[in-house]
Amino acid sequence: MKHSIRIKLTLLLIFLTSSIILVSWMVNKTIGMDYYMKSEEKSLIKTYNQLKQIYWSTDDFQGSDDDFRTFREQQVDLLMSSTHFNILIVNNNFQRVYPLSERSSKMDTSMLRYLNELIKARPGDGSSVDEIFEQGYTIQKNNVKDLNGEYLDLFGIMFDRYDNKYLLILRSPIQGVQGAANISSQLFAYIGILMSVIGAIVMFWVSKKYTVPIQEMAMIANRMVHLDFDARVTRINQDELGQLGNNMNELSAKLEETISELKTANNELRKDIDQKIQIDEMRKEFISHVSHELKTPIALIQGYAEGLKDNVNDDPESREFYCEVIVDEAHKMNTMVKKLLTLNQIEFGNNVVHMERFDIVALVKNLIQASDILYKKAEATIDFQQEEPIYVWADEYMIEEVISNYLSNALHHLSEKGTITVRFEPRGNEVRVYVANTGKQIPEEELDKLWIKFYKVDKARTREYGGSGVGLSIVAATMNAHGKAYGVQNTEDGVEFYIDLDRNPTEKIQEDQTNLPNDLSKKDANS
């Protein structure tokens, strides 16, 4: 609160007002009396000139001399009633003209005595008489003992229309002037104090109009510091504060936009960095796994080739066996390398997905027929009952690779004389393709690891049929490229893999129509 602008403005106003009052009071005390004396002298001169005008400007008066004197006295009475001066006018014979003798008082007697003393002074001796003859009047400050006070006296000469000369004295009590000055100073001080209090109250109240918007802007600025850019200045006045509020609103919007762009750029940069790290890790992992997977077949090929070279067995059957092992291991290496290249292309986005419409049922039939001899050799039963075509949208070549990997995986892990089941499940605008086999279940904690490159649950069995652990990784990469779901789950008697594919929209409409009542489906067909 002690740092509030309202308090500071109010205290500043009080300080300025008090300073003005103090300075004014000091000035009034030091030079105020001189100022009032000058003002009083000007007032005496003004009254003297007005009296001269009265005596001189009555030339057009029509009437007797007595009436004229009466009229002139009335004019003087009227003038003197508006002043606080005492006046005495005598003629050239030193006889009272105004006020009349019967209205004389102790003040008149004193003024008459001073007037008489002034007239007795000789011209040319540097006295006040010289001023009277030069400018018609003189002003003196006199200490009148018989009246116990100081007075400011104007002595002057006047002439009437008959060219008669008159002497006058205008007297103003200095004590009255000084008293008026003191009273004026006190009144000014009281008024100043009152105005200071009123001004402080008004300033404290009016300043709220300016401090409240400033407080709001400070709060909004604090929210902006904490990255809250939804705050906006609502008190928009047509002044500098309103302009500041508009600028703060624009600043908030610009900061929000800029920070949003920075965050977007930061996210992109983070993705690039993560991708680079991921690529490096994949490269290291790839080299490690490839070297590990190739180590065994290379060792076998090398061993059997050296055996052939050294003629370990001379009989034709042994040499034939050696050659078959070499060819078989070379074939496995070739297959693994091809799969690795395919996986690498898919993961790095080099293999573009070409969307096309095809019959997934026909694709599965062709794959089963192509591997029929393998199924018969393993005495496997194929459960595939779908006859009606199901059209989907996907990359046919890549999906063929996925289904082929599923079927191959199911065959290699099939129980003795087991069953491989392929079925389809409509799911809205998609169809889910299941490939299941009877046999040993996969531990639940191993299910999520199947999609990792070179991961093998049963390494001995995988080696037996030449598996590299890359097939399911190709499935995962392919379905991620399509943006579709894939997965694996244990069943009561084995394991089941699945993928989701987009169905043909017209097929979905036709299927929905077949599920309608007969009368409605006929109506739609007719329409």
Side-chain angles (χ1 to χ4, degrees):
M1 190 65 180
K2 65 180 180 179
H3 300 296
S4 172
I5 295 179
R6 297 181 67 189
I7 299 299
K8 291 180 179 179
L9 288 176
T10 304
L11 293 177
L12 178 61
L13 178 63
I14 294 175
F15 172 76
L16 292 176
T17 308
S18 302
S19 299
I20 293 173
I21 293 172
L22 180 60
V23 172
S24 300
W25 181 81
M26 293 176 63
V27 169
N28 190 49
K29 282 294 184 181
T30 54
I31 64 174
M33 190 60 187
D34 294 337
Y35 173 78
Y36 283 117
M37 290 297 292
K38 293 292 184 181
S39 299
E40 197 70 7
E41 290 179 4
K42 291 180 180 180
S43 182
L44 286 172
I45 296 172
K46 180 180 179 182
T47 304
Y48 164 70
N49 291 329
Q50 290 175 339
L51 288 170
K52 286 174 60 177
Q53 186 68 22
I54 290 174
Y55 271 73
W56 185 261
S57 63
T58 53
D59 293 344
D60 57 349
F61 182 81
Q62 302 296 328
S64 63
D65 292 341
D66 293 336
D67 293 336
F68 170 71
R69 282 190 292 269
T70 303
F71 173 74
R72 187 172 58 188
E73 187 172 357
Q74 290 175 353
Q75 292 295 313
V76 174
D77 285 339
L78 183 62
L79 173 62
M80 298 310 297
S81 64
S82 61
T83 67
H84 61 279
F85 303 140
N86 294 303
I87 185 172
L88 176 64
I89 302 174
V90 298
N91 58 20
N92 197 33
N93 296 322
F94 230 77
Q95 293 177 343
R96 290 174 183 257
V97 174
Y98 185 90
L100 297 177
S101 59
E102 58 268 17
R103 293 171 55 190
S104 63
S105 62
K106 188 177 181 180
M107 177 64 73
D108 295 336
T109 302
S110 175
M111 289 192 294
L112 182 61
R113 179 171 59 82
Y114 270 88
L115 186 60
N116 186 31
E117 292 177 356
L118 180 66
I119 295 300
K120 290 180 180 180
R122 294 181 180 182
D125 59 0
S127 63
S128 299
V129 178
D130 295 332
E131 294 183 7
I132 294 176
F133 283 105
E134 289 177 4
Q135 59 186 12
Y137 67 89
T138 184
I139 298 176
Q140 295 180 355
K141 181 179 180 183
N142 297 315
N143 187 1
V144 182
K145 296 180 180 181
D146 50 355
L147 295 179
N148 297 323
E150 287 187 328
Y151 293 89
L152 191 64
D153 295 336
L154 182 145
F155 300 96
I157 301 175
M158 297 186 304
F159 297 89
D160 63 6
R161 60 178 178 171
Y162 304 110
D163 205 21
N164 294 321
K165 185 172 66 174
Y166 298 91
L167 300 175
L168 82 156
I169 179 173
L170 288 173
R171 174 167 285 179
S172 173
I174 295 178
Q175 291 180 347
V177 175
Q178 190 171 8
N182 293 333
I183 293 174
S184 177
S185 298
Q186 292 177 1
L187 180 62
F188 183 80
Y190 294 151
I191 293 176
I193 294 173
L194 179 62
M195 293 305 297
S196 297
V197 175
I198 295 175
I201 295 174
V202 172
M203 175 62 76
F204 188 77
W205 181 76
V206 172
S207 61
K208 182 179 180 181
K209 179 181 178 181
Y210 301 97
T211 56
V212 169
I214 293 175
Q215 290 174 346
E216 180 184 1
M217 293 178 192
M219 179 187 67
I220 291 174
N222 184 59
R223 292 176 62 181
M224 290 170 61
V225 169
H226 294 85
L227 303 181
D228 180 7
F229 299 110
D230 293 331
R232 292 292 185 272
V233 178
T234 58
R235 299 175 183 267
I236 304 298
N237 300 322
Q238 299 300 322
D239 54 13
E240 290 80 358
L241 288 178
Q243 185 177 2
L244 176 61
N246 286 326
N247 291 339
M248 287 188 65
N249 289 340
E250 292 180 5
L251 175 62
S252 178
K254 289 291 184 182
L255 284 176
E256 182 178 11
E257 180 181 354
T258 303
I259 291 179
S260 177
E261 293 175 356
L262 288 175
K263 286 186 175 180
T264 301
N266 188 44
N267 288 335
E268 293 297 327
L269 179 60
R270 185 181 296 110
K271 288 181 181 178
D272 292 341
I273 294 175
D274 293 341
Q275 184 178 10
K276 184 178 182 301
I277 295 174
Q278 183 180 6
I279 291 173
D280 291 340
E281 293 296 329
M282 290 173 61
R283 183 181 295 110
K284 293 177 183 178
E285 182 183 1
F286 178 81
I287 294 174
S288 174
H289 285 299
V290 169
S291 60
H292 177 75
E293 293 295 327
L294 293 179
K295 181 172 63 176
T296 301
I298 289 175
L300 290 174
I301 292 175
Q302 181 181 4
Y304 280 95
E306 290 177 352
L308 287 174
K309 181 179 179 181
D310 296 336
N311 294 320
V312 176
N313 293 309
D314 295 334
D315 58 290
E317 292 182 358
S318 296
R319 288 197 297 271
E320 182 70 19
F321 173 74
Y322 277 36
C323 291
E324 287 179 356
V325 171
I326 294 173
V327 171
D328 183 57
E329 293 298 328
H331 176 72
K332 290 179 182 178
M333 290 173 59
N334 183 50
T335 301
M336 183 180 67
V337 170
K338 288 182 178 179
K339 287 186 176 182
L340 287 174
L341 291 175
T342 301
L343 177 61
N344 190 61
Q345 289 179 347
I346 297 174
E347 286 184 336
F348 285 92
N350 297 327
N351 196 355
V352 181
V353 177
H354 298 282
M355 302 299 289
E356 55 185 325
R357 178 177 176 268
F358 62 93
D359 183 6
I360 187 64
V361 176
L363 185 147
V364 174
K365 282 184 178 179
N366 292 334
L367 289 175
I368 293 175
Q369 291 175 359
S371 302
D372 182 64
I373 188 172
L374 298 177
Y375 300 136
K376 290 180 179 179
K377 183 178 179 181
E379 298 182 358
T381 301
I382 304 299
D383 182 5
F384 180 67
Q385 302 178 3
Q386 182 71 28
E387 296 294 338
E388 297 295 327
I390 299 176
Y391 291 96
V392 296
W393 285 94
D395 188 312
E396 184 175 4
Y397 173 78
M398 298 176 72
I399 297 302
E400 181 179 2
E401 180 75 12
V402 169
I403 301 298
S404 177
N405 278 319
Y406 274 178
L407 291 173
S408 176
N409 190 71
L411 177 62
H412 292 144
H413 293 84
L414 185 67
S415 60
E416 186 178 358
K417 296 182 180 181
T419 301
I420 298 176
T421 303
V422 180
R423 62 187 180 91
F424 302 89
E425 178 184 329
R427 301 169 68 88
N429 292 327
E430 299 178 339
V431 60
R432 177 162 288 184
V433 183
Y434 290 95
V435 177
N437 67 277
T438 58
K440 185 180 179 181
Q441 293 183 337
I442 300 174
E444 293 293 331
E445 64 273 10
E446 303 283 341
L447 290 177
D448 293 335
K449 300 178 182 179
L450 294 178
W451 316 102
I452 301 175
K453 290 189 293 292
F454 303 108
Y455 184 81
K456 304 170 185 177
V457 178
D458 189 347
K459 295 181 175 60
R461 187 169 183 179
T462 303
R463 178 63 193 167
E464 181 181 343
Y465 67 82
S468 61
V470 181
L472 293 180
S473 299
I474 294 177
V475 172
T478 300
M479 299 314 298
N480 287 330
H482 280 75
K484 291 300 177 182
Y486 61 94
V488 59
Q489 58 192 10
N490 288 316
T491 61
E492 294 181 358
D493 54 356
V495 181
E496 185 176 55
F497 290 82
Y498 66 86
I499 60 171
D500 288 344
L501 297 173
D502 285 329
R503 299 177 63 187
N504 187 34
T506 57
E507 180 185 356
K508 177 66 171 62
I509 296 174
Q510 293 173 358
E511 180 181 319
D512 292 341
Q513 288 180 345
T514 58
N515 294 329
L516 294 174
N518 292 332
D519 53 346
L520 292 178
S521 61
K522 290 179 181 179
K523 180 179 179 181
D524 291 341
N526 293 333
S527 61

